[in-house]
Every structure is written in C-alpha cells, then in structure tokens.
Amino acid sequence: MPGPRRVLHVDLDAALPALVADATGADALVVGHRDGYPVCTAALTLTDDPSDAAMVLTALAATSQGSAAPAPAPVDDHDLPSVSVVVSTVVDRVEDLGRLLDVLEHLDYPEHEVLVVDNRVRVPADDPLPALLAERAVRLVEERRPGLSAGRNAGIAAARGEVVAFTDDDVRVDQRWLRALGERFVREPGLDAVSGVILPTELETPAQVWYEAYYGGFSGERSFEPVTITPDDVPGAMRFARAAAVSPDGTVRRRFPVYGIGAYGAGANMAFRRTLLEAVGGFDPTLGAGSPARGGEDLAMFVETLWRGGRIGFEPRAVVHHRHRRTVAELHAQLHGNGVGFSALLCALVAGDRRHLAVLARLVPLAATAKARGAADALFRGRGADHRQAATPTVPAAPSTPVPRSLALHELRGFPAGPSAWFRSRRRWRRVQAGRSVGG
C-alpha cells in the first residue's frame, strides 16, 4: 500500500525551497508555479539531504522556463464578460461546500454571481443548508428533480451572466480561476467554452495516490499548454468526428475523436457562453451524477459544442483543486461509474443524432484496443501520472506508483452496463417529467 504523498506548490521564479522528508512521509507531488500559475508537475522522493530535492527542482525550473507559455497581456476589467458560477449540490459534503463558497464569494473578478442549486429530492428536518448560506452573498436555486444535469440546468435558467461557469462541491478553486476563464473568452471571442486544469487537493490515502497515478488529470495527460480545440473537419458536418488541439502559434498538437474530449475538460472546471447552453437546450438530464447513467453530462456538452462546429479553449491558468475519493471502495465506485457514464454518454449522443452511430461503428473497436493497452500500460509497466507530464521533460524523480488491477477492472466492467443504465435513466426522467414516482 502506498504511503501519503505531500502536495507541494513551489514558486519556480523565487529562491527554491529546501525540501526534506518529514513525519508525513518522503514522497511528494511538486506543482511548479511561474507568475503565480502552475506550469508543470513532478513526483519526487524526499530525503534528509535537501540537495537531492534541489536537483529535481533545479531541473524542473530549467525545463519549465523554456516550455512555459508566455504570459498573455492583461485584460481590462471593463472588457470581461459577466459570469454566473453554478454549484449544484445534494448537500452531502457540507464542510467542502462551505470552503468552496468562502473562495467563490471573494474571487478576483469584477462582475460575477454565485448560484447554489439545492438539488435534493427531499430536504431533511435538520437541514444544514440555511445556516451555511446565512450572510453569504450567494443566490439559492431549488431543483427537486433528481440529477446533476437537472441541477445545472436550473442554475442556467436562473443565471444572469453572459458566461456560466461550473464547479463541484468537493473542489477548491484558485483565487484567479474566474479571471483566467473570463480573459480567455475575451482573447478568443470565437470560443464557445473554456476548461482548465484540475489538480489534487491532497494525496493522503492509498486510494487518492492510486487515482492520481492511474487517472491523474481526469482521464488524460495533465498538460499546461493552452490550446484551442476545434472540429478537424468541415464545420457542422463532422463526418469523421475528429477534433484538433491547436497551440497559440497555430501548431496542431494532436488530433483525436471528439469523444476523447475528456482529456481537455471535466465538469469540475468548465465554462460556457450562455447562448451556447441555451441553443443546446442545457445538459442532458438522462446523464450525470444522481441518475442511473452515473455521469457523462459534461463530456456530452463538450462533444455537442464541437459537433455544432464550436470551439473550446483549454486554459491552464484556470485552476481548481479536487479532493479525490479517500477510500478504495469509493474509488472503485467512482471508476465503475466512469465506465458506465461513458458508454451511457455514447447512447445519448446516438439517440440525439444518428450520425454518431456510423462514426462510433468505426471508432469503438479502435477505442477499445487503445483503452486496453492504456490499462495494461498503467497496471503492468507502472506507467502513471508521474510519467504523463506533457509540458515537462523527464527529470530525476520518484519511481512510478504501481496501481492495483482492480482500478482498471472496475472501470472496464462499467462500460457494458452503460447502455442499460442509460435506458433506465431515460425512463426515469420521463416519469419525473410526467410527475410520477422517481424510484427504480
């Protein structure tokens, strides 16, 4: 079982700190910052000699100096779009929600509002929410229909901002998170959505360390290079359903099927123009946490954006910190839900547009092979997030973290369960809309 790993934030523009092992453990994940923003990560094992860590930090500072994107010109406050921040919650993580709201109320942004959507079907007699929201500058929205998508859609309907940003109640946002999102919309007026980087808040338990090693960056390489995701085909046609990640200088960094957009975005850190959300009709209520489908609503919105010929900006300066599941049982349930949610997402996309079916018929065999290879790579050859830092060349660091086979198995077993879960979810939502029981 792996021991705890400290998450250390280091300013690479300042004098490098002397890092040594302490009572909390020797392993650490270092997040390197420049100009106050993260630009790279590296895992290392600390010793009693600070010169050992200094070797890694010096190499990290040198390599990030050349690879870090130049600081963009600041945007005047008057040019920034108004933003509504939506947090949909079932109020099962009261302390986490309170810490999130402490930051959201005081973000470095000139015109924004915070909407908390109470997405509980039933409210307990000892409801902690009123006390939590007392004397806070937030708006409360109630949505008793179940599911995260329903909650987010209620937030969209109540939002006043030109841009609607979303995060989760188990996340801490950076003080400049909203400014980074808003400035990116200004710099690229053609963007329909912007996503950002998700870093771990803590790596204190084996489950958290394993998640970061196996699934760090939320299903993709954690990159710190800003890119624009565009349809890699005739806008609106999407015959081959491919997208391109384009760097600011116009270089195409990679091409991939639109269904792989999870490498560049997740629901904990995303923002959309309200006009796009209204045109799409909001998030798919048959997908997402709180439904039998378990997830996929965020990726469905990203895919729909590209499918319509839209553009998505990945902005590494927009940073949030996620608290990974602390127990192995919770982690297994999450990964199983990820598998269920992804295949349910594909069913929902096909139901919405039959053109997806022809594309998926070509892609699914290739995707299944790639997924199996990736799982084998992580499980049998020790490849983890420690070796997936796209912006940072290899530096002397800690050995990779072996992860148990159960992680991949739980995720893979979720895939075949997705279609039936989506059909159950669709039936349940129809009953909800008809005003009947939501059970089953």
Side-chain angles (χ1 to χ4, degrees), residues 88 119 146-154 282-289 297-298:
S88 182
N119 193 212
L148 179 58
S149 288
R152 285 177 170 163
N153 288 341
F283 291 89
D284 188 336
T286 68
L287 300 173
E297 84 297 335
D298 49 354

Side-chain angles (χ1 to χ4, degrees), residues 22 51 66 146 156 205 207 339 352 354:
D22 62 15
S51 65
I156 295 169
T205 70
R354 297 289 178 175

Side-chain angles (χ1 to χ4, degrees), residues 204-438:
E204 297 179 353
T205 70
Q208 292 176 326
V209 174
W210 281 332
Y211 181 90
E212 186 66 16
Y214 173 67
Y215 217 38
F218 280 71
S219 80
E221 294 179 348
R222 181 177 284 125
S223 172
F224 293 93
E225 178 189 23
V227 294
T228 301
I229 315 299
T230 65
D232 194 23
D233 199 358
V234 178
M238 291 299 288
R239 178 182 176 189
F240 300 107
R242 293 186 63 82
V246 184
S247 64
D249 64 4
T251 302
V252 177
R253 291 300 182 186
R254 59 177 296 206
R255 289 182 167 87
F256 58 95
V258 294
Y259 314 106
I261 189 61
Y264 289 103
N269 188 359
M270 60 183 185
F272 297 86
R273 293 194 189 275
R274 191 171 64 179
T275 52
L276 181 279
L277 294 170
E278 292 172 346
V280 171
F283 291 89
D284 188 336
T286 68
L287 300 173
S291 75
R294 306 281 295 275
E297 84 297 335
D298 49 354
L299 302 187
M301 184 61 74
F302 284 128
V303 171
E304 182 64 26
T305 300
L306 294 171
W307 196 256
R308 291 168 171 259
R311 298 156 60 91
I312 301 169
F314 173 73
E315 178 50 63
R317 290 178 169 237
V319 183
V320 305
H321 307 262
H322 178 260
R323 182 172 57 78
H324 301 337
R325 304 298 189 270
R326 294 185 62 87
T327 70
V328 174
E330 291 174 324
L331 176 57
H332 284 168
Q334 179 189 12
L335 293 178
H336 180 77
N338 289 350
V340 172
F342 186 75
S343 52
L345 151 71
L346 300 181
C347 292
L349 291 174
V350 170
D353 190 332
R354 297 289 178 175
R355 290 177 296 175
H356 284 288
L357 186 61
V359 176
L360 289 169
R362 295 194 303 269
L363 292 179
V364 165
L366 297 174
T369 300
K371 184 65 182 177
R373 287 176 179 170
D377 192 37
L379 296 174
F380 300 114
R381 290 192 290 277
R383 183 186 180 216
D386 299 345
H387 297 284
R388 293 193 293 173
Q389 314 309 327
T392 306
T394 301
V395 297
S400 58
T401 302
V403 294
R405 298 182 185 183
S406 60
L407 270 63
L409 293 177
H410 277 80
E411 184 180 17
L412 293 173
R413 287 171 180 167
F415 290 135
S420 62
W422 179 73
F423 280 107
R424 292 197 309 275
S425 185
R426 186 172 66 168
R427 287 196 302 269
R428 188 183 76 159
W429 184 249
R430 287 174 176 173
R431 291 198 299 269
V432 169
Q433 291 295 80
R436 296 197 295 267
S437 169
V438 301

Side-chain angles (χ1 to χ4, degrees), residues 114-134:
V114 179
L115 285 75
V116 173
V117 180
D118 179 1
N119 193 212
R120 294 172 294 181
V121 176
R122 298 177 182 84
V123 178
D126 56 343
D127 182 11
L129 192 58
L132 182 67
L133 299 185

Side-chain angles (χ1 to χ4, degrees), residues 29-45:
L29 175 70
V30 171
V31 182
H33 293 251
R34 287 194 180 281
D35 192 31
Y37 295 97
V39 295
C40 58
T41 61
L44 71 155
T45 296

